[in-house]
């Protein structure tokens, strides 16, 4: 894939070069040699440019520590080994919800956390998506069918709204625009308004996505109608968390989307087994709604630290033969509450070894697709799992949560118990607030290590409750933005956009 699309990656890169001396925030200047009559002439041009967008997403997810960090921040975990480059201090601060040292810190892991605090990569995806949406209409009809034209435009809508979702979940208010080659300096738009725009945008384009792909290599890695449903459910639930008005409409929309998801017969839950775990996190199973491919056999590999297993696993799942312990582990009291002794749950035996050891013998076995490099004493085991952004249990539990918020406990239990059944765990029989808490904990169980923990903690406002976070945020600090990530703004960006401001709490 890398070699095949390098031409189009270069094209996409050049399309983002800002003209010399131009100081326009989020501005993209077209390059004459790559526009007009010289580009956007064939289906290959469109497909190559589209692949460039997914490559940008891959770089953001697969070459950063963002996914592990989202599960570590504020969680009931601890550093139990020596990471490297002062990583122990950095991750202890992350667990404690203390991000300020990383803003100016000089260690390798300070830099990796700072990469999360820069939203430029997300806006690169948005800008490219806007260009794709606009330019695909200029491709001659002889080169591109109407159905393909609509599909590519719908993919552009999906990738830009996925990016806005991440921006709002990370930083709150976002600079929102959909124009191609934007040259306007814009202020940040309140995140609820951004979510509403994204919901309308995605709803309008959803039905132009395919229900399934006949090409097996695209399954789970390019968006379908079900991918759009998953994104819309997340957008609605995030909007509901912050809208101070009536939230009923958002929850009803999520339930309608849940009903729609049930109509897509290509998707189904897989019972929790070792074999199915490998299939799910390879990225192309019946549970996978959207993700980013990693496959060593095709030269598609991520950075070692982008996967949760780098921190929570050891040989023979991760590392060299001398790495016999893990860097991090879950606190015993927390993991025992999550997976109580005596309660059947296949996830305990399949996804963990020494799950409540509370020390460096803890082993996380959810990510077990691997590839090896070297041999003998130099043998090293690396993760070969894809990055799963949306999968079926996630959206079923969002539907359960929405039903519980509407006091429809029977429907909530029906959705949640599908996930419980796949884990061979007893069905929920609770109701009311107890059921809401059960559904939240089920998300913690099922999605452990998948980058959902901190977003859920914030979205449900449980970040202010010591029962749910190791580093509780006071109500005052939460309302002032302590849940966000610091937004690092360069001097060039400040000069280019006088409307641009950071996040108050971290300022």
């Amino acid at each position: 894939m890398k070699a095949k699309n390098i031409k189009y990656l270069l094209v996409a890169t050049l399309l983002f070069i800002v003209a010399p001396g131009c100081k326009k925030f989020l501005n993209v200047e077209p390059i004459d040699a790559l526009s007009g009559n010289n580009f956007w002439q064939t289906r290959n041009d469109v497909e190559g440019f589209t692949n460039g967008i997914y490559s940008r997403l891959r770089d953001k997810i697969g070459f950063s520590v963002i996914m592990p960090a989202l599960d570590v921040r504020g969680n009931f975990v601890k550093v139990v080994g020596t990471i490297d480059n002062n990583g122990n201090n950095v991750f202890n601060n992350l667990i404690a919800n203390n991000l300020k040292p990383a803003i100016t810190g000089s260690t390798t892991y300070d830099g990796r956390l700072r990469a999360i605090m820069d939203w430029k990569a997300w806006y690169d995806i948005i800008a490219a998506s806007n260009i794709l949406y606009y330019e695909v209409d200029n491709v001659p009809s002889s080169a591109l069918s109407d159905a393909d034209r609509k599909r590519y435009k719908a993919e552009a809508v999906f990738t830009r709204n996925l990016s806005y979702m991440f921006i709002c979940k990370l930083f709150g208010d976002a600079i929102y625009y959909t124009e191609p080659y934007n040259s306007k300096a814009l202020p940040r738009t309140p995140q609820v308004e951004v979510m509403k725009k994204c919901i309308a945008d995605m709803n309008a384009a959803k039905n132009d996505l395919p229900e399934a792909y006949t090409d097996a290599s695209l399954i789970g890695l390019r968006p379908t109608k079900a991918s759009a449903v998953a994104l819309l459910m997340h957008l609605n639930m995030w909007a509901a968390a912050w809208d101070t008005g009536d939230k009923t409409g958002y929850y009803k929309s999520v339930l309608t989307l849940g009903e729609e998801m049930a109509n897509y017969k290509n998707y189904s839950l897989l019972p929790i087994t070792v074999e199915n775990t490998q299939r799910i996190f390879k990225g192309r199973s019946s549970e996978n709604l959207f993700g980013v491919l990693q496959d060593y056999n095709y030269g598609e590999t991520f950075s070692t630290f982008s996967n949760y297993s780098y921190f929570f696993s050891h040989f023979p799942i991760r590392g060299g033969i001398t790495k016999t312990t893990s860097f991090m582990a879950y606190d015993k009291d927390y993991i025992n509450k999550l997976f109580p002794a005596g309660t059947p749950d296949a996830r305990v035996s399949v996804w963990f070894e020494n799950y409540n050891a509370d020390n460096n013998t803890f082993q996380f076995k959810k990510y077990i697709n691997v590839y090896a490099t070297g041999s003998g004493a130099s043998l090293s085991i690396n993760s070969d799992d894809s990055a799963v952004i949306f999968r079926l249990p996630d959206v079923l539990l969002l539907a359960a949560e929405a039903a519980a918020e509407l006091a429809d406990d029977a429907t909530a239990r029906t959705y949640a118990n599908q996930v419980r059944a796949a884990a061979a765990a007893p069905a929920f029989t609770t109701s009311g607030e107890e059921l809401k808490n059960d559904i939240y904990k089920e998300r913690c169980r099922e999605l452990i290590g998948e980058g959902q923990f901190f977003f859920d903690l914030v979205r449900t406002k449980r970040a202010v409750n010591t029962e749910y976070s190791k580093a509780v945020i006071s109500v005052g600090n939460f309302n002032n933005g302590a849940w966000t990530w610091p937004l690092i703004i360069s001097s060039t960006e400040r000069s280019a956009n006088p409307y641009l401001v950071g996040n108050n709490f971290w300022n």
Side-chain angles (χ1 to χ4, degrees), residues 9 83 131 186 247 258 290 371 452:
L9 288 173
I83 301 176
I131 290 172
L186 303 169
K247 306 174 190 294
F290 184 73
Y371 67 91
Q452 298 282 359

Side-chain angles (χ1 to χ4, degrees), residues 346-396:
R347 291 169 293 202
V348 176
S349 59
V350 174
W351 290 354
F352 302 96
E353 180 181 308
N354 298 328
Y355 84 106
N356 61 357
D358 213 350
N359 58 38
N360 59 14
T361 66
F362 173 91
Q363 176 86 300
F364 192 60
K365 300 192 298 181
K366 196 175 189 179
Y367 299 120
I368 50 176
N369 290 295
V370 299
Y371 67 91
T373 57
S375 60
S378 299
L379 179 69
S380 181
I381 305 299
N382 306 279
S383 171
D384 201 31
D385 289 289
S386 296
V388 176
I389 295 177
F390 299 134
R391 65 185 181 98
L392 188 56
D394 170 20
V395 300
L396 292 175

Side-chain angles (χ1 to χ4, degrees), residues 129-291:
S129 300
N130 293 343
I131 290 172
L132 173 62
Y133 188 91
Y134 171 78
E135 293 287 2
V136 75
D137 279 336
N138 294 324
V139 179
S141 59
S142 59
L144 197 66
S145 69
D146 287 343
D148 278 346
R149 196 183 309 274
K150 288 179 179 179
R151 175 175 62 82
Y152 281 117
K153 293 179 75 170
E155 286 194 71
V157 172
F158 178 87
T159 52
R160 77 179 171 204
N161 289 324
L162 179 73
S163 298
Y164 279 125
M165 180 198 76
F166 272 104
I167 289 170
C168 288
K169 285 186 174 185
L170 291 166
F171 304 109
D173 301 343
I175 291 175
Y176 182 85
Y177 75 107
T178 59
E179 296 78 13
Y181 311 111
N182 180 64
S183 61
K184 301 174 184 176
L186 303 169
R188 294 175 71 174
T189 299
Q191 59 176 335
V192 172
E193 185 177 338
V194 173
M195 291 294 98
K196 288 179 178 179
K197 290 177 182 291
C198 290
I199 290 166
D201 195 30
M202 195 70 258
N203 271 325
K206 172 168 62 68
N207 289 333
D208 291 330
L209 289 168
E211 188 168 321
Y213 289 97
T214 55
D215 184 347
S217 69
L218 301 181
I219 295 173
L221 305 173
R222 293 284 283 264
T224 60
K225 288 183 174 71
S227 310
V229 166
L231 176 57
L232 280 164
M233 292 174 84
H234 275 273
L235 293 172
N236 274 281
M237 294 301 281
W238 193 257
W242 303 102
D243 195 327
T244 56
D246 185 9
K247 306 174 190 294
T248 302
Y250 299 116
Y251 298 137
K252 286 183 176 179
S253 292
V254 170
L255 285 184
T256 299
L257 290 162
E259 293 169 1
E260 180 178 342
M261 181 67 75
N263 293 327
Y264 300 131
K265 303 305 181 184
N266 294 304
Y267 301 97
S268 60
L269 292 176
L270 297 175
I272 301 296
T273 65
V274 173
E275 294 76 14
N276 282 341
T277 295
Q278 286 182 298
R279 291 172 60 195
I280 292 166
F281 297 102
K282 196 67 226 155
R284 292 177 172 142
S285 79
S286 62
E287 279 196 10
N288 295 99
L289 303 176
F290 184 73

